[in-house]
Amino acid sequence: MKYINTFVFLSLLLLICSCGQKQTESLPILGKKKIVEGIEVDHQIPDWTFLNQDSLPVTNKDLADVVYVSDFFFRSCPTICPKTMREMKRVYTEFKDNPQVKLVSFTIDPKRDTPSKLKQYASNLQVNVNKWWFLQGDKEETYDLALDYFNTAYEDEDVPGGFNHSGKLILTDKNGHIRSFSEGTDPEETPKLINDIKTLLKEYNTNEK
Amino acid sequence: MKSNLYLLFFALLFIALHSCDDKTYSQGERLYLAHCGNCHMEDGKGLAKLIPPLAGSDYLKLNPDKIPCILRHGQKGEIVVNGVQYNQIMPGEQYTEIQINNMINYINTAWGNDYPVTTITATKKRLELCNQ
């Protein structure tokens, strides 16, 4: 009996040690792979162009040198948005002084959320729009793009606020690959997302050395 | 043996008192989490200058007459809470007088708030005076 205990103890010890020795971890590339001309390719965010809060066009290419966290929301949202935005702001605050991280919020109510209204929203959220973009674009294009970012968004008269949508925070890398996500409505998931951002940044920083 | 029974009695009394204590505004709490928590948050702290706090709100403390009306009819336009100006929109909802009363008693006593609790009669009177 005693031997078994020792055995269990030793194997556990071995397990812990070997875990500790794992090399720098790397995040998986998420999303469904596609077959293009017979070759399997990873899911990638398609090219997009939206207007920012200063009515200037911006594209995904403008984000090629940073990793970014995005969500889909609308200003007058009575349901999940304030919570999701609170979690976005936690990420914002954590990486406030790190130029390698940006945040991007897409409105799913482009008719009412004009760039100037979004600018006001950002100011009321007390965040810097150079670091956290608030984007408006074509409605259908936004709903399509939401799917690429693992979110759903559509108009629905039967839900409060008139839009049905999910509140995932999505981490995208410099190549447009999604690397991690969290549920914006669950504050307990945010620390893991923050951690994953740090892991991703480490990947880039060690590769560049 | 006897002292054990005494102990049991006091233990039960203790548990009973505590569970009563916890349950006082449990309906209010449930309604709050379902209808208000999305915006004002579970901790009552609100969000930046988009949503004012209820925890520690001087507005909540100083305007008992207006609160039932805000819950039922909503609130928009400039409002100052703890020295910060808000200019947003809160939608109202057709809650019953009992629901409104329960929610007010919950927010007036949650998160360290120690504002006076109200009665259904008082809430009813305040609701009748809303648009005046």
Side-chain angles (χ1 to χ4, degrees):
Chain A
M1 192 57 208
K2 216 173 181 177
Y3 288 112
I4 293 182
N5 274 343
T6 320
F7 177 72
V8 168
F9 176 75
L10 281 178
S11 8
L12 271 177
L13 201 70
L14 205 70
L15 201 73
I16 292 168
C17 290
S18 60
C19 285
Q21 290 204 330
K22 217 168 80 179
Q23 309 147 337
T24 41
E25 51 175 328
S26 97
L27 303 172
I29 291 176
L30 304 178
K32 225 174 143 180
K33 293 195 196 321
K34 259 194 317 199
I35 308 285
V36 179
E37 290 166 6
I39 303 166
E40 207 181 41
V41 295
D42 288 316
H43 173 78
Q44 196 173 17
I45 298 297
D47 287 347
W48 49 254
T49 305
F50 280 76
L51 287 184
N52 74 4
Q53 62 288 326
D54 294 314
S55 294
L56 300 171
V58 292
T59 79
N60 57 311
K61 297 204 176 68
D62 296 320
L63 293 164
D65 293 328
V66 298
V67 306
Y68 64 97
V69 176
S70 47
D71 73 338
F72 289 79
F73 87 113
F74 61 111
R75 272 186 322 128
S76 57
C77 163
T79 54
I80 59 175
C81 309
K83 279 190 177 164
T84 306
M85 284 311 206
R86 176 177 66 176
E87 299 312 306
M88 285 285 279
K89 195 170 173 185
R90 265 173 85 185
V91 175
Y92 169 90
T93 307
E94 179 77 29
F95 296 98
K96 209 168 173 197
D97 302 317
N98 188 336
Q100 297 185 85
V101 180
K102 279 200 193 304
L103 294 101
V104 180
S105 291
F106 297 89
T107 176
I108 59 170
D109 184 8
K111 206 166 139 196
R112 283 185 289 177
D113 292 355
T114 56
S116 67
K117 291 268 172 62
L118 290 177
K119 189 165 188 166
Q120 201 176 30
Y121 182 90
S123 131
N124 283 326
L125 192 57
Q126 299 174 306
V127 297
N128 181 340
V129 291
N130 291 323
K131 182 160 195 82
W132 187 343
W133 294 354
F134 292 82
L135 307 184
Q136 182 231 31
D138 176 73
K139 194 170 73 183
E140 296 306 324
E141 212 175 300
T142 310
Y143 295 178
D144 282 347
L145 194 63
L147 290 176
D148 278 303
Y149 284 105
F150 297 0
N151 271 295
T152 56
Y154 51 92
E155 253 172 298
D156 183 349
E157 282 177 14
D158 295 332
V159 303
F163 297 89
N164 204 334
H165 68 300
S166 54
K168 285 194 178 66
L169 310 193
I170 302 292
L171 172 63
T172 307
D173 71 13
K174 298 182 183 180
N175 295 320
H177 295 306
I178 294 176
R179 306 297 292 274
S180 178
F181 65 87
S182 66
E183 287 301 335
T185 46
D186 184 357
E188 293 186 0
E189 289 194 8
T190 309
K192 185 185 165 289
L193 182 69
I194 289 176
N195 218 26
D196 285 348
I197 297 172
K198 290 179 181 163
T199 306
L200 184 57
L201 289 176
K202 234 183 259 161
E203 248 177 68
Y204 285 112
N205 294 342
T206 45
N207 284 349
E208 272 159 26
K209 261 174 214 160
Chain B
M1 186 58 208
K2 210 171 177 185
S3 69
N4 268 349
L5 270 180
Y6 271 123
L7 212 65
L8 188 70
F9 173 75
F10 279 114
L12 281 177
L13 190 73
F14 187 75
I15 291 166
L17 280 176
H18 264 258
S19 56
C20 286
D21 196 43
D22 281 348
K23 283 213 163 76
T24 319
Y25 301 116
S26 67
Q27 198 208 351
E29 178 175 14
R30 243 179 297 126
L31 287 165
Y32 176 83
L33 291 175
H35 297 281
C36 328
N38 271 332
C39 287
H40 291 282
M41 311 291 170
E42 316 84 341
D43 58 9
K45 286 192 180 141
L47 181 63
K49 288 174 80 176
L50 288 166
I51 293 157
L54 301 177
S57 159
D58 60 355
Y59 187 94
L60 180 60
K61 183 182 186 174
L62 299 174
N63 298 282
D65 288 343
K66 290 187 189 157
I67 306 302
C69 306
I70 291 182
L71 270 53
R72 181 169 281 176
H73 303 293
Q75 156 69 35
K76 66 177 169 189
E78 286 178 13
I79 183 173
V80 176
V81 182
N82 298 343
V84 178
Q85 189 175 303
Y86 296 82
N87 190 355
Q88 302 293 326
I89 297 174
M90 164 173 157
E93 244 183 86
Q94 271 308 317
Y95 304 111
T96 66
E97 288 140 0
I98 297 174
Q99 287 176 320
I100 290 178
N101 197 67
N102 280 331
M103 283 192 281
I104 293 175
N105 283 341
Y106 174 69
I107 61 178
N108 278 359
T109 55
W111 320 294
N113 283 359
D114 56 353
Y115 311 152
V117 295
T118 75
T119 62
I120 292 173
T121 323
T123 297
K124 214 168 163 174
K125 276 210 190 93
R126 286 168 172 155
L127 284 168
E128 277 160 13
L129 296 171
C130 272
N131 292 319
Q132 293 175 17

